[in-house]
Amino acid sequence: MYKSFFGFKDAPFKLTPDPDFLFLSKVHKKALTYLNYGLNSDSGGFILVTGEVGTGKTTLIRSVMKKNQEDIVFSRVNNTRLTSEELLSMINDDFGLNIKGKDKPQLLRDLTDFLIEQFSSKKRSVLIIDEAQNLSPEHLEEIRLISNLETDKYKLLQIILVGQPELRKILAKPELRAFRQRTNVSCHICPLTVEETEQYIYHRLNVAGNRDAVIFENGSIPLIYKFSRGIPRLINIACDFLLLSAFAEQTKEISLKMVKEVMSDLEKENMYWQSEQPENNDQNTDETRACKKNDDFHLDYVKKMDILKKVSETEKELSLTKHRLKAELENEYSSMDARFDKMVKELNLIRLQLAAKQNT
């Protein structure tokens, strides 16, 4: 709707996980390095990627898939609320295998034959299971057994599990000890920092075709960060509405007033954080605690920036008051000088008149 007005070739803040818009923050870059290592190593262990909703896990995975299409055959499963047989059917189906009318033993046999064929063709096979936090311990054990398909030296199937932080709690259960021991790469994606939020916004504007499409008033991006808490999906939602508001007003300046109004409306209508429950610190993973510490630090940063902004505004107001008073005093002094000069002239005139009368 507003693309032509701002000079975009694509919508900058769409919610689809487009790998072309992938922003490599410090933590995303680390996760990408871990993923590439896991895919290119011969260890064959599980790769675990976790993160809160909207932190960019799926975008990261799609970027990896896009860059490795020639060397790797992927099967990606998104629906994890299935029976073990349905899960196996979805895996085979995404690998391009015929699943019609086949029971579990036939599906396993077909999968094994396919993996051997790919290995013989010097291609790697990778299974990506998204929303893995919905898998039961029984499903995870089934997946572990599928991962046992191997030759004497190499695993035939590399498995990546992608999910929300709850997945780590599930994997911590005693009955999944064997699964945990097979996980050789693990990373957790934290939300962006306030500095990364600004970089993220300009990155997406640039990819969309116009980095300088809008001007953000000082202090507006920290407010976006405060609303979104550094979650890329919420940053996208906020910025999309801000661009829409700017378009409606036919302006290319994002003011503090506009940001406050839009963030307030979004929070009232959607209550993104309203349903959050207090975290149980005893169950937090190291990664989650690190993210929370990072988030608390940058929320403090935003508060400090707000205080500094108010101090700066106060100093500016005091300076203006000082200059105004100085100007008023100078004007008063100037006026007094003018009146004094007038009085001196009048006195001189009187002296001249008196001198003239005395001479006559």
Side-chain angles (χ1 to χ4, degrees), residues 326-336:
K326 184 180 178 182
E328 288 175 355
L329 285 171
E330 287 177 348
N331 186 54
E332 184 67 24
Y333 290 149
S334 177
S335 178
M336 289 173 65

Side-chain angles (χ1 to χ4, degrees), residues 22-56:
L22 177 65
F23 171 72
L24 290 178
S25 69
K26 182 179 177 181
V27 71
H28 286 81
K29 192 178 293 183
K30 178 181 176 182
L32 186 62
T33 301
Y34 281 15
L35 280 167
N36 285 327
Y37 167 77
L39 289 174
N40 292 292
S41 69
D42 296 324
S43 57
F46 291 104
I47 299 173
L48 180 64
V49 180
T50 57
E52 289 291 348
V53 176
T55 48

